[in-house]
Amino acid sequence: MMSLESVPPKYAQLVHTLQRRIEAGDYPPGTLLPSENQLIQEFSVSRPTVVAALRVLREQGWIESQQGKGRFVRGRPAMASVEQKRPGQAYLTKPETDSTGEVVVVGAVAVPNRVGVLLDVQPKSKAFVRRRLIKRQGEPTELVSLWLPLELSEGTDLTSGEPLRQGFREHLQARKGVRFDHIVEQITARMPSADEVKQLAMPKNQPLLAVFGAVRDASGRPLAVVEVLLPADRHELEDAYPIA
């Protein structure tokens, strides 16, 4: 799936504009979308840009194509709101000040095997981690860790014990000039460690859901890993996707 998370190229800007027009009712459901030529003229962009934007809108369910007739508006897809619930993306974009919690680990540590593979660093090498214990209604609910190559943590506020007023993505883009393009998300289950049992106030025989979001740039180079640990008895993960 194409990501629109980074500073958007022309096709992504066009996607956002057409989505806004559909939501505003400028292009009501069931009506014919302007043709490729009309969009090229109105927005002064190339045909490949228009084709790429229309492909994204079709794949996400905003429009549908009918052979020989054109592209028709379907409206805002039902799955659009569900996509925002993916934990890896949520913790990259939301400021830490939006949730209650405390920083429990910050600094350079030996990288776990799975995180090392996702970051493409050597086994037993060190990486920077910022780990925060999230609480809701006074109860611990999840452990969220941001893993970075050491050089990406330098010159940032991630070493502070205070909650960030920006999302990780916004902060790293501003300080380090990196551009996040897409996330590869993996979900596994395992038993918690003794420290995790204590921090999350959970039974030692209760499994954890572990969500790993590997953040990459447009070339596929690893930039960061978001690790979210969720007690399985307190969370369920939901997703939605179109049927081809």
Side-chain angles (χ1 to χ4, degrees):
M1 180 179 293
M2 293 185 181
S3 169
L4 309 181
E5 282 296 309
S6 58
V7 175
K10 288 184 178 180
Y11 83 85
Q13 296 177 37
L14 182 55
V15 168
H16 290 151
T17 298
L18 295 177
Q19 287 173 338
R20 287 196 298 268
R21 289 189 179 184
I22 291 172
E23 290 183 311
D26 297 337
Y27 303 146
T31 60
L32 192 64
L33 199 70
S35 68
E36 289 182 15
N37 287 335
Q38 289 172 320
L39 293 173
I40 289 169
Q41 293 177 6
E42 179 178 358
F43 294 99
S44 300
V45 294
S46 67
R47 188 172 300 278
T49 295
V50 170
V51 170
L54 295 175
R55 183 173 66 250
V56 171
L57 290 172
R58 185 181 69 252
E59 291 175 350
Q60 293 183 349
W62 292 80
I63 64 174
E64 62 180 351
S65 299
Q66 295 186 17
Q67 187 68 31
K69 295 183 179 180
R71 298 174 178 87
F72 288 83
V73 176
R74 295 180 62 186
R76 179 179 178 84
M79 64 175 286
S81 60
V82 179
E83 288 179 342
Q84 300 304 314
K85 297 179 181 178
R86 290 175 174 166
Q89 177 177 333
Y91 285 111
L92 278 174
T93 56
K94 288 175 56 177
E96 288 183 338
T97 49
D98 283 2
S99 60
T100 302
E102 59 180 307
V103 177
V104 293
V105 178
V106 60
V109 300
V111 64
N113 288 339
R114 180 181 289 270
V115 174
V117 170
L118 295 175
L119 278 180
D120 194 22
V121 299
Q122 292 297 318
K124 300 181 180 181
S125 62
K126 289 191 174 183
F128 175 85
V129 64
R130 179 181 177 87
R131 179 170 299 131
R132 196 161 176 259
L133 178 64
I134 306 298
K135 297 182 178 181
R136 305 186 194 282
Q137 298 179 342
E139 298 294 327
T141 59
E142 58 239 68
L143 274 170
V144 181
S145 302
L146 176 71
W147 294 90
L148 295 170
L150 292 176
E151 64 272 14
L152 272 187
S153 66
E154 297 171 357
T156 71
D157 292 339
L158 299 177
T159 57
S160 168
E162 297 299 317
L164 294 180
R165 299 183 179 276
Q166 296 175 300
F168 293 141
R169 177 179 65 88
E170 182 181 358
H171 187 69
L172 285 170
Q173 286 183 175
R175 292 295 182 90
K176 306 298 290 188
V178 296
R179 291 291 178 264
F180 293 0
D181 182 78
H182 60 280
I183 302 175
V184 178
E185 196 164 271
Q186 301 173 351
I187 302 174
T188 66
R190 63 171 175 82
M191 300 307 293
S193 68
D195 285 343
E196 291 162 350
V197 165
K198 183 177 180 180
Q199 289 176 318
L200 291 166
M202 60 182 293
K204 62 182 179 180
N205 60 350
Q206 178 69 49
L208 280 173
L209 295 175
V211 181
F212 295 89
V215 184
R216 300 176 181 174
D217 64 14
S219 71
R221 178 172 66 98
L223 296 174
V225 172
V226 179
E227 176 189 13
V228 185
L229 301 181
L230 307 165
D233 62 337
R234 305 177 205 169
H235 298 270
E236 64 178 41
L237 301 177
E238 180 182 10
D239 200 357
Y241 47 87
I243 299 175

